[in-house]
């Protein structure tokens, strides 16, 4: 046998999303062969991975959370060493409008993957994207891995199902399956319908005279906001650890939507009172007022800590959107 070590193979569902794109970058830089799965859509949605598209170790394939046979086919063909399940309808407010689609994709989609995984490649290591939304309106924060789950949206209820299922399959079948309970994590690649990106895009457009008003919902909701690039590193670290487990991924700080708005507008040298209006249609039917994570376990066991702080995150996102809008109007 040659002394050359074979590249590890990783399969990522939802590779064209924010987290999938950062994770793909990380794994490619570590020498992995990456198989990225994406939904078929009528418009091109690969902009987050366009910069790595020509990497010879990146392979993109079509996939759907509701297609059982497709997952079996992909696992048989690729035989991955690691599986990262990131795909989901991930907008909490939208999950109230399309609850059946959201729940089927997240809950049953996870079940479909786990069933194929335990039969086709049970020696592989599996990562499940769980969510801080699972804690819901539980008043007993900060939240760690032992905190009570009180989901307050169809999205969160589905994530609880998937989270518990991963633990159940880990214990029942001896799988190396772990869940990362991610608190809010943002970046310039965040979807434009999410409140943080909505704010940074609007600030850039207002600064350049292309927009005057920004309409927002609840400004008092508080979140533990981190940087997506930091969080995907911990996803990878979880699968390198000998023992599978569940970990909270958080900064340990909480800030309101109003704080984020003020921070971004300060960087833009704008007055939010002159440009921001509240639209009641943007409120959730049931609000999660406060999310604060305790990532002590991840910091202790996996030697991880977040690097990008809240104010840096606001500046990074605003500056990226300012440059983006400038390019668009040239």
């Amino acid at each position: 046998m040659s002394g050359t070590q074979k590249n590890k193979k990783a399969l990522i569902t939802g590779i064209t999303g924010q987290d999938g794109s950062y994770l793909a970058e990380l794994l490619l830089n570590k020498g992995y062969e990456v198989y990225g799965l994406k939904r078929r859509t009528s418009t091109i949605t690969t902009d987050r991975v366009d910069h790595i598209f020509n990497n010879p170790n990146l392979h993109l394939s079509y996939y759907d959370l509701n297609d059982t046979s497709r997952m079996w086919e992909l696992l048989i063909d690729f035989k991955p060493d690691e599986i990262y399940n990131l795909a989901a309808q991930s907008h909490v407010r939208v999950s109230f409008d399309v609850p059946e689609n959201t729940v089927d994709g997240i809950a049953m989609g996870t079940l479909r993957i786990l069933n194929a995984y335990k039969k086709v490649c049970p020696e592989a290591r599996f990562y499940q994207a769980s969510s801080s939304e699972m804690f819901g309106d539980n008043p007993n924060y900060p939240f760690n891995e032992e905190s009570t789950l009180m989901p307050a949206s169809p999205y969160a209820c589905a994530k609880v199902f998937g989270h518990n299922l991963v633990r159940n399959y880990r214990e029942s079948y001896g799988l190396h399956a772990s869940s990362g309970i991610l608190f809010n994590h943002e970046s310039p690649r965040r979807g434009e319908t999410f409140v943080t990106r909505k704010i940074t895009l609007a600030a850039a457009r207002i600064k350049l005279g292309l927009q005057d008003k920004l309409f927002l919902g609840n400004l008092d909701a508080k979140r533990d906001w981190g940087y997506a690039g930091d969080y995907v590193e911990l996803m990878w670290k979880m699968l390198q650890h000998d023992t599978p487990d569940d970990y909270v991924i958080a900064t340990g700080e909480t800030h309101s939507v109003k704080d984020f708005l003020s921070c971004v507008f300060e960087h833009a040298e704008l007055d939010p009172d002159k440009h921001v209006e509240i639209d009641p249609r943007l409120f959730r039917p049931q609000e999660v007022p406060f999310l604060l994570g305790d990532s002590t376990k991840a910091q202790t066991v996996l030697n991880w800590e977040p690097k990008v702080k809240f104010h840096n995150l606001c500046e990074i996102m605003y500056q990226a959107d300012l440059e983006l809008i400038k390019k668009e109007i040239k």
Side-chain angles (χ1 to χ4, degrees), residues 13-42:
T13 72
I15 193 170
T16 59
Q18 170 187 250
D19 293 3
S21 66
Y22 280 113
L23 179 61
E25 275 181 12
L26 177 77
L27 296 179
L28 288 170
N29 287 337
K30 291 182 180 295
Y32 278 67
E33 198 162 347
V34 175
Y35 296 89
L37 308 188
K38 60 177 182 173
R39 283 184 301 127
R40 194 273 166 191
T41 56
S42 58

Side-chain angles (χ1 to χ4, degrees), residues 308-326:
V308 177
K309 302 299 184 184
F310 177 76
H311 290 281
N312 301 122
L313 179 63
C314 295
E315 183 177 14
I316 289 169
M317 291 181 66
Y318 168 68
Q319 291 296 339
D321 277 333
L322 187 64
E323 293 306 310
L324 177 67
I325 301 301
K326 283 180 179 178

Side-chain angles (χ1 to χ4, degrees), residues 148-173:
T148 301
L149 305 179
M150 298 174 60
S153 67
Y155 168 81
C157 291
K159 280 295 187 182
V160 170
F161 179 95
H163 180 77
N164 286 333
L165 198 63
V166 168
R167 182 179 58 82
N168 174 242
Y169 271 50
R170 178 171 70 221
E171 299 299 327
S172 299
Y173 303 111

